[in-house]
Each structure stands twice: as structure tokens, then as C-alpha cells.
Amino acid sequence: GIRGEDLDGVCSATEFVYWYNGHPDYRDREFDLSKARRVAVVGNGNVAIDVCRILIQDPERLASTDIADYALEALRASTVEEVLLLGRRGPAQAAFSPKEIKEIAGLEGVDLIMGTNAVELDPVSRQWLEGGSAPKSATKNVAFLTEASKQEATGGRRLDCRFLVSPVELTGVDGVLTGVRLQLNRIYATDDGTPRPKGTNEHVDEEVQMIFKAIGYRGTPIPGV
């Protein structure tokens, strides 16, 4: 629902997952990864992590799996070097499971990147975690991400975790995606203490050639039901 969403290079994560898993209704979709160096994935759930994992790892690791042959060929032609994982909330509210993010960090030739400041908890999130309202996975994620932020980069492909950002505009040239404008967010507490994100007037622009939307599902109504 933002300006530029109709640009070539703006993709559905759901369709991408169906495509590389060989869903017959989606095998004819095209995802040209040979022209993308930098890709953004919007969302912090396990679908977003799945997309990141496929995009960032050495495709030869996938050759022994049951990934669709046409998807493997497209991934072998990929020029993707860096994936930005964009979450509108903070690291404590990331919806991916600890196991999923740890698996990405364990991929050979892949650096999990985030600044130390990126995983510093705001007072609201810290109180939420310490007060017992947060799920156990939130504490595990924060602990893991804190340690991961201290690791030195090896110079391989990069998964860059960005928290407290929301896309507000997609930019392009001649109908093709070239970048995303991100609004910086901050966390505030609702009446019951639940942490929620709120936009600020600060923005940053990032160059990307593809972007995948992984922000959840919306049901399609059936006429008469």
C-alpha cells in the first residue's frame, strides 16, 4: 500500500516460496535474480527468514534437496550479494523462531550483519521481557542476536538485519525498482504494556534491485460465504 509497489522487482514472498517449492500454479512465475545485487525482504517472520535463506546461501547446497529444478537454475544465475531483512519492530519483537535465525548464521560463506546498537533494547522492550509477558522465543532471539552482533564479518554474502524500520516509498527508473525509503520507528507501550512501533520523521534511503513482501497473509473472500 505504498507508492512504487507496482514497480518491476517488487515481489510476493508467498509466491516466491510456492515457486521454488514447485507449486504447479506458480511454476511459471519469473524471478530474475541475475540483475540483483542487493535485495530487501520486508518482514520478520519465518517466511521472511525462509526467503532470506534461499537468496543468500550457495545454491549448490540446495542441489541435493528437492527444490524445483527451474528455481535452482535461477539461483545459480543469481548475483545477489546482500539481503536486507527489514523489521518494523525491534529485535525483542522479531517473530522468527530462534532455530531459524541460528540456521542462517550457521551457513558457510554467509555473514549475519547487524550493528551492536541495532540490538540494544529500548526501556519498553526491556521491561516487557523482564516482566514475563514476552514469549520465551523473544528472550532467546535477543540473546542470540546480541552475540551475533559481536562477530567479525568474513567478507562473504551478507544478511543485514535492520530493526525498527518501515518502507514508506519504493523508487525506480523506467518502471524498474532501484531503491526503498525507510522510516525509522521507535517502540512505545500500549495501555497493557505491549510494545508497539511508531514512526518518526527520520528516513533513510537504501539501494535495492528487488524487494520481497513477507508481512503476513490476507484471506481472499469467496462470493456468498
Side-chain angles (χ1 to χ4, degrees), residues 125-178:
S125 295
R126 187 175 299 281
Q127 184 174 356
W128 180 64
L129 286 175
E130 295 174 350
S133 300
K136 291 182 179 179
S137 60
T139 302
K140 291 180 180 179
N141 277 339
V142 168
F144 175 76
L145 293 171
T146 300
E147 288 304 309
S149 70
K150 302 174 184 176
Q151 301 300 313
E152 294 290 335
T154 63
R157 294 182 178 186
R158 297 159 56 98
L159 174 61
D160 189 348
C161 296
R162 304 284 183 92
F163 298 104
L164 293 172
V165 293
S166 294
V168 292
E169 183 181 1
L170 304 174
T171 55
V173 176
D174 297 329
V176 179
L177 178 73
T178 58

Side-chain angles (χ1 to χ4, degrees), residues 163-220:
F163 298 104
L164 293 172
V165 293
S166 294
V168 292
E169 183 181 1
L170 304 174
T171 55
V173 176
D174 297 329
V176 179
L177 178 73
T178 58
V180 55
R181 169 158 285 198
L182 301 173
Q183 175 180 258
L184 305 186
N185 301 328
R186 64 177 179 84
I187 294 293
Y188 74 98
T190 61
D191 292 341
D192 63 358
T194 302
R196 300 293 298 172
K198 186 174 184 178
T200 69
N201 291 322
E202 297 181 72
H203 298 83
V204 294
D205 295 317
E206 295 288 349
E207 174 192 348
V208 294
Q209 293 80 46
M210 293 183 79
I211 191 166
F212 289 85
K213 300 178 289 183
I215 55 175
Y217 298 88
R218 176 174 294 158
T220 303

Side-chain angles (χ1 to χ4, degrees), residues 1-219:
I2 61 176
R3 182 184 302 175
E5 207 166 344
D6 58 342
L7 290 168
D8 187 21
V10 181
C11 310
S12 160
T14 305
E15 292 185 2
F16 184 64
V17 172
Y18 286 159
W19 173 77
Y20 69 68
N21 278 312
H23 192 302
D25 293 345
Y26 294 86
R27 62 176 297 120
D28 294 329
R29 295 287 196 278
E30 292 185 5
F31 296 93
D32 187 359
L33 302 171
S34 66
K35 297 183 178 68
R37 182 187 63 83
R38 212 161 184 245
V39 177
V41 178
V42 184
N44 257 192
N46 284 340
V47 172
I49 292 290
D50 284 341
V51 172
C52 290
R53 183 189 297 111
I54 293 296
L55 290 171
I56 206 64
Q57 69 178 295
D58 182 348
E60 296 312 316
R61 293 187 73 255
L62 298 167
S64 61
T65 71
D66 58 359
I67 191 172
D69 291 341
Y70 57 81
L72 182 60
E73 290 308 306
L75 289 165
R76 281 172 168 159
S78 170
T79 55
V80 175
E81 298 174 359
E82 183 175 17
V83 177
L84 305 180
L85 180 62
L86 308 177
R88 66 190 178 99
R89 297 182 293 178
Q93 293 85 39
F96 49 71
S97 63
K99 178 175 179 287
E100 297 288 332
I101 192 67
K102 286 181 180 179
E103 284 186 0
I104 283 195
L107 290 174
E108 185 176 353
V110 174
D111 290 328
L112 184 63
I113 302 296
M114 67 199 81
T116 304
N117 292 342
V119 292
E120 287 184 358
L121 293 183
D122 58 275
V124 173
S125 295
R126 187 175 299 281
Q127 184 174 356
W128 180 64
L129 286 175
E130 295 174 350
S133 300
K136 291 182 179 179
S137 60
T139 302
K140 291 180 180 179
N141 277 339
V142 168
F144 175 76
L145 293 171
T146 300
E147 288 304 309
S149 70
K150 302 174 184 176
Q151 301 300 313
E152 294 290 335
T154 63
R157 294 182 178 186
R158 297 159 56 98
L159 174 61
D160 189 348
C161 296
R162 304 284 183 92
F163 298 104
L164 293 172
V165 293
S166 294
V168 292
E169 183 181 1
L170 304 174
T171 55
V173 176
D174 297 329
V176 179
L177 178 73
T178 58
V180 55
R181 169 158 285 198
L182 301 173
Q183 175 180 258
L184 305 186
N185 301 328
R186 64 177 179 84
I187 294 293
Y188 74 98
T190 61
D191 292 341
D192 63 358
T194 302
R196 300 293 298 172
K198 186 174 184 178
T200 69
N201 291 322
E202 297 181 72
H203 298 83
V204 294
D205 295 317
E206 295 288 349
E207 174 192 348
V208 294
Q209 293 80 46
M210 293 183 79
I211 191 166
F212 289 85
K213 300 178 289 183
I215 55 175
Y217 298 88
R218 176 174 294 158

